[in-house]
Amino acid sequence: MPDISLLLWFPVLGAFAGLLAGMFGIGGGLVLVAALNWFFVRNGVDPAHQMHLALGTSLATIIVTSLSSIRAHHSRGAIRWATVRLLVPGILAGGLAGAWLAESIANDALRRLFGVLVVVFSLYIVLDVKPGGGRGLPGRAGHLAAGVTIGVIAALAGIGGGNVSNPFFLWCGVDMRSAVATSAALTFPVALASTVGFIWAGWGVSTLPPYSSGFVYWPAVAGIVAGSVLTAPLGARIAHTIPVNGLRREFAILLVVVATLLLLGGASVGRRA
């Protein structure tokens, strides 16, 4: 793995991802996974596990970075904690199951699956899809099924799950403010369960880089968290001072380009001979 000078790249990556997350509310995890995958390819990580390590590492950073967002939304009384409690059991099961499922998928297939998910999320942004409401939140069984779905998709995409849970809440008729806030509250259990799953799935794999626990590479986690914690508040301030809708769509288009490269095998461009 890289020397200490190259490890300085992680705080820079974290600062960029934190800025995006603060400005747009989404996208930080998607950027992290793509960038981490490139980094692991470039630095000679076992080709069988580059994408698994990128997903697990991204999710581990979200455990920490989600806390400030949760605190901010809770202080405004916007989180529906009763709904969170109903979703958490399914989310925990889904996050663990998603990590197990990811481990069973070959690295190239997992990379392409991630690319497809990025395209779907990006089109959702570009087309400005707003699910019709009025259905109401489901019962306990419906919450369990929704939680499992959110957890599985979040684990496979290496994200906190807000991209999945927010459309679900809007579809159920939850107002935008509460949907965003409650989705933010769900990022912590999603990331926690998925990270545990990736550590467990990769435990004992002998070809992973030093300072890894399963499919989580801790030097990257530390550097990314340090960078993102500094810039996420700045991104949030920018979002409240300039119109970001146009920039948000341009960012989504950029994600589509990144996803296309992944789907075409472009992640291997940086591989050393």
Side-chain angles (χ1 to χ4, degrees), residues 77 143 163 172 174 184:
H143 276 89
N163 295 4
C172 291
V174 176

Side-chain angles (χ1 to χ4, degrees), residues 214-230:
F215 294 130
V216 174
Y217 182 54
W218 293 111
V221 173
I224 290 168
V225 167
S228 63
V229 166
L230 294 175

Side-chain angles (χ1 to χ4, degrees), residues 11-23 26-29 31-32 224 227-228 231-232:
V12 175
L13 173 59
F16 180 61
L19 189 66
L20 292 176
M23 287 177 63
I26 57 106
V31 169
L32 284 179
I224 290 168
S228 63
T231 58

Side-chain angles (χ1 to χ4, degrees), residues 34-201:
L36 285 168
N37 181 63
W38 175 88
F39 182 85
F40 292 141
V41 170
R42 182 70 179 85
N43 288 281
V45 170
D46 180 3
H49 298 302
Q50 291 157 353
M51 195 67 191
H52 303 87
L53 197 60
L55 291 169
T57 301
S58 171
L59 286 159
T61 68
I62 295 171
I63 293 175
V64 180
T65 57
S66 66
L67 296 176
S68 61
S69 176
I70 293 172
R71 184 168 56 250
H73 286 294
H74 176 69
S75 68
R76 291 172 173 80
I79 298 175
R80 293 191 174 201
W81 286 111
T83 301
V84 171
R85 286 191 290 271
L86 287 171
L87 285 168
V88 162
I91 280 174
L92 296 177
L96 291 169
W100 173 83
L101 179 60
E103 193 276 335
S104 68
I105 300 174
N107 189 80
D108 285 348
L110 185 60
R111 187 189 71 237
R112 292 186 173 91
L113 174 60
F114 171 76
V116 170
L117 290 173
V118 173
V119 170
V120 171
F121 292 139
S122 301
L123 290 176
Y124 178 82
I125 298 168
V126 172
L127 299 176
D128 195 22
V129 178
K130 290 183 172 61
R135 296 165 182 80
L137 289 165
R140 189 173 296 273
H143 276 89
L144 180 64
V148 170
T149 303
I150 292 167
V152 169
I153 296 175
L156 291 174
I159 59 176
N163 295 4
V164 186
S165 58
N166 197 52
F168 165 71
F169 287 134
L170 293 177
W171 184 74
C172 291
V174 176
D175 66 276
M176 178 65 77
R177 179 171 175 263
S178 292
V180 170
T182 307
S183 294
L186 292 172
T187 57
F188 180 83
V190 167
L192 180 62
S194 301
T195 299
V196 170
F198 275 100
I199 291 175
W200 168 59

